[in-house]
Amino acid sequence: LNNLGAIRGRKGDPQGALGYYEAAIRADPGYLLARGNRASLLLRAGHLDAARREYQTILSIFPRDPEAQAALGEIQRIVTAGSLGQRP
């Protein structure tokens, strides 16, 4: 399911990709690759709160995940810049 999501994403269908990632996560809630792909897609789409929650879930499963840590830092930078009226 995760691979089908990646294919849908590459074909320019983010909603289809999201559906496959979510199905993969429902099948295996600990599937970090699907969670990371879902979080990355949400972040690129500007859904910062949903992306933040997904990255936090990843870190609750695997606290040393460097991609999740970096992405949370990026989300914080975007939020901070936005609250200061700056472009991210």
Side-chain angles (χ1 to χ4, degrees):
L1 292 171
N2 180 69
N3 290 342
L4 292 172
I7 291 168
R8 296 302 330 149
R10 283 193 300 274
K11 290 189 176 205
D13 180 11
Q15 284 304 110
L18 190 60
Y20 279 114
Y21 295 145
E22 290 172 350
I25 293 165
R26 280 192 303 276
D28 179 1
Y31 192 1
L32 292 177
L33 182 58
R35 286 191 174 279
N37 287 336
R38 178 179 186 273
S40 177
L41 181 71
L42 290 168
L43 179 57
R44 287 192 312 272
H47 301 290
L48 300 182
D49 288 335
R52 177 186 291 127
R53 285 190 302 273
E54 192 66 69
Y55 284 122
Q56 288 170 335
T57 298
I58 291 168
L59 290 174
S60 75
I61 297 167
F62 182 57
R64 294 179 184 239
D65 186 294
E67 291 177 20
Q69 291 172 345
L72 282 174
E74 177 66 11
I75 291 169
Q76 186 58 47
R77 187 188 69 74
I78 292 167
V79 169
T80 300
S83 69
L84 296 175
Q86 301 172 353
R87 291 185 61 199

